[in-house]
Amino acid sequence: MRTINESVREVDRYTDDNKIYVQIASYKDPQLIHTVKDLIEKACFPSRLHIVILDQNDKDNCEEFDQFQALAKITYMFMPAKDVPGLGFARAKLQEQYKGERFVLQLDSHHRFADLWDSSLIFTLTNIPNCKLPLLTSYANQYEVGKECWKETKISNVMIADHFTPDGTIMFRPKQWSKLPAGKQFRQAVVPARFVSGHFFFTFAKPYFAKFRYDPDIFFAGDEINLTVRLFTMGFDFFHLPKPLVWHEYTRKGRKKIWEDHKFWKINDLESKKRIQQLLGFEDHGIDLANYGLGTERTLKDYEHYAGVCFSERWIHKDASTFDNPAGCLYDGAGWTANKTYKLQINQCPDKVNYKADFWSVNVYNDMDHVLSNILIGCDEIKKCIHTLETHQVPHRLNYTYETTGIPVRYSITAIYIDPPSSVITFEDQINIEKEN
């Protein structure tokens, strides 16, 4: 009996136009060279790859990629990291190098791949029935640098909605999909997806480049919900794979982040989030999104009904958090999770050196270490907190409530000084909260 690998080789062998445009944005990532090496080595037809790299770094590393030029087409672009305005700009620059390839694959710069990943993706995408514009995506399964256990993973992740952020966008998280239909574990069956991952998607290139252009003013946060709603309203249908073909390194160990290098990144981030809010329709900032708005094939309301989310109310349907097939979610009053309101208590006394801070910045996290809310505490509230803790030896309940769809588990406090400007992380603690409703 022919295996799936033999089948995809046979299907792809006689199709010379199955070239793949691979776009990789990298920011000071030591895993970039290893990602490209594995990408090429595991491909069935590496000569059909056009790998386009935007390396945002402190120095030009072009010569490192010369070793691959005989195996695959490499387009390497260098940009000084200090000059990079954000993720959207980098991915928009990558789109400019498209040369008419049949397929497009978007990746981060820290991945590993299954054998024959290219033919397997092509075979899967081109065999999805009754779908004009299919797109394969996922929060890829995790690998760790230096460990081989990731190769044993047999079932793919899916993307689920974790919570709405204070800015009104959605945080996602991966979940391993264990409810595979009997007998389909080793077939290229797919399951409908609600969301698109920025670090891995694969689709037909010509309609993608004809319809979608990255918004260069998107800094980082909100990129994936922007990608998702725009592609959906442009007519694309999303699918998850039943078994992994791509792995992703999530920990960010040893990698610099753009917000660590850029002093004024919060300004760019704020303006970026305003664009996301304008797109999603829950706050009008008077921004003309021009070519970076929604498509015309479907409406934003169509997407909300399909995915089980409501942007205006910041509601998430339970199916979007547990992963059931996203067909027919309706606003019938059942199964929706609105933001819950909590009160936060400070349980311990921070280091006295930070008592005179101009304000405290309090981050509240869930169990995935995602920030659910940020609270700014002024001087007067700091004094009350210190007095309650030191004088009465009881936790100080902040006169503040915050809303979240996630479950808070811990908080951190950073002392902020304005003159001279500096910040010091004071302490972290497990959360002690009271639910309001």
Side-chain angles (χ1 to χ4, degrees), residues 161-172 221-222 225 269 273 276-277 280 282 311 313-316 339 364 366 370-374 402-406:
D162 189 72
H163 65 276
F164 271 97
T165 70
D167 302 295
T169 60
I170 300 176
M171 290 294 293
F172 307 113
I225 196 62
D269 184 56
K273 287 173 179 174
I276 302 293
Q277 292 167 355
L280 300 180
F282 58 77
F311 294 111
E313 300 295 332
R314 303 189 188 185
W315 290 349
I316 297 174
N339 280 14
V364 180
N366 67 3
H370 294 154
V371 177
L372 299 178
S373 188
N374 175 261
Y402 61 96
E403 294 184 344
T404 177
T405 50

Side-chain angles (χ1 to χ4, degrees), residues 10-238:
E10 190 68 23
V11 168
D12 198 38
R13 180 171 292 147
Y14 303 105
T15 311
D16 292 332
D17 68 341
N18 281 351
K19 294 181 179 179
I20 303 175
Y21 184 86
V22 185
Q23 50 188 41
I24 302 175
S26 175
Y27 190 87
K28 294 186 177 181
D29 192 349
Q31 282 298 308
L32 172 62
I33 189 73
H34 304 291
T35 295
V36 173
K37 182 175 185 291
D38 203 61
L39 180 77
I40 292 172
E41 288 181 348
K42 301 289 180 59
C44 185
F45 297 101
S47 62
R48 295 179 184 172
L49 304 180
H50 180 195
I51 305 170
V52 184
I53 301 163
L54 180 60
D55 188 9
Q56 304 151 93
N57 219 318
D58 294 330
K59 67 183 183 70
D60 191 323
N61 298 299
C62 182
E63 293 182 356
E64 292 185 10
F65 298 90
D66 289 345
Q67 60 183 301
F68 305 122
Q69 292 289 3
L71 303 172
K73 181 179 179 181
I74 307 284
T75 299
Y76 176 91
M77 298 181 290
F78 166 74
M79 178 176 288
K82 62 181 178 61
D83 297 334
V84 177
L87 176 65
F89 178 86
R91 287 183 169 159
K93 293 295 291 183
L94 287 168
Q95 289 185 308
E96 296 175 2
Q97 300 300 315
Y98 175 61
K99 305 298 182 185
E101 292 82 3
R102 187 182 181 198
F103 303 100
V104 59
L105 172 64
Q106 178 162 295
L107 298 169
D108 278 351
S109 51
H110 28 275
H111 288 286
R112 296 294 183 267
F113 304 88
D115 289 331
L116 312 183
W117 63 265
D118 52 340
S119 290
S120 296
L121 284 174
I122 290 171
F123 180 86
T124 305
L125 188 77
T126 56
N127 281 277
I128 297 175
N130 306 316
C131 184
K132 184 179 178 181
L133 294 175
L135 181 147
L136 301 174
T137 189
S138 181
Y139 265 11
N141 293 63
Q142 182 173 354
Y143 84 91
E144 293 186 52
V145 177
K147 296 184 179 181
E148 297 295 317
C149 58
W150 58 271
K151 295 180 180 179
E152 301 171 4
T153 309
K154 302 299 182 185
I155 301 175
S156 281
N157 284 339
V158 297
M159 288 177 70
I160 61 173
D162 189 72
H163 65 276
F164 271 97
T165 70
D167 302 295
T169 60
I170 300 176
M171 290 294 293
F172 307 113
R173 61 191 264 183
K175 180 179 180 181
Q176 193 172 86
W177 183 47
S178 57
K179 299 178 181 179
L180 286 170
K184 292 186 177 180
Q185 286 89 335
F186 300 103
R187 291 169 52 192
Q188 295 296 327
V190 294
V191 62
R194 288 177 168 85
F195 312 110
V196 177
S197 164
H199 72 240
F200 166 53
F201 70 77
F202 183 78
T203 189
F204 291 102
K206 289 182 180 179
Y208 167 76
F209 283 104
K211 291 172 175 283
F212 183 87
R213 289 293 171 185
Y214 257 97
D215 186 342
D217 292 321
I218 298 299
F219 178 72
F220 187 85
D223 164 65
E224 289 176 324
I225 196 62
N226 176 287
L227 187 66
T228 296
V229 298
R230 290 180 62 204
L231 287 174
F232 184 88
T233 58
M234 291 171 181
F236 286 85
D237 294 306
F238 314 142

Side-chain angles (χ1 to χ4, degrees), residues 279-297:
L279 179 78
L280 300 180
F282 58 77
E283 193 162 347
D284 186 359
H285 297 284
I287 298 172
D288 181 6
L289 296 174
N291 296 326
Y292 308 114
L294 299 174
T296 57
E297 298 295 320

Side-chain angles (χ1 to χ4, degrees), residues 393-437:
Q393 301 298 309
V394 295
H396 177 72
R397 182 179 293 118
L398 292 175
N399 296 322
Y400 184 90
T401 59
Y402 61 96
E403 294 184 344
T404 177
T405 50
I407 298 175
V409 297
R410 72 176 184 89
Y411 66 87
S412 68
I413 293 182
T414 301
I416 307 294
Y417 298 89
I418 295 176
D419 188 19
S422 64
S423 62
V424 180
I425 294 181
T426 306
F427 64 87
E428 298 184 1
D429 195 14
Q430 296 300 304
I431 208 79
N432 185 0
I433 49 113
E434 289 185 0
K435 186 177 172 182
E436 284 278 290
N437 57 6

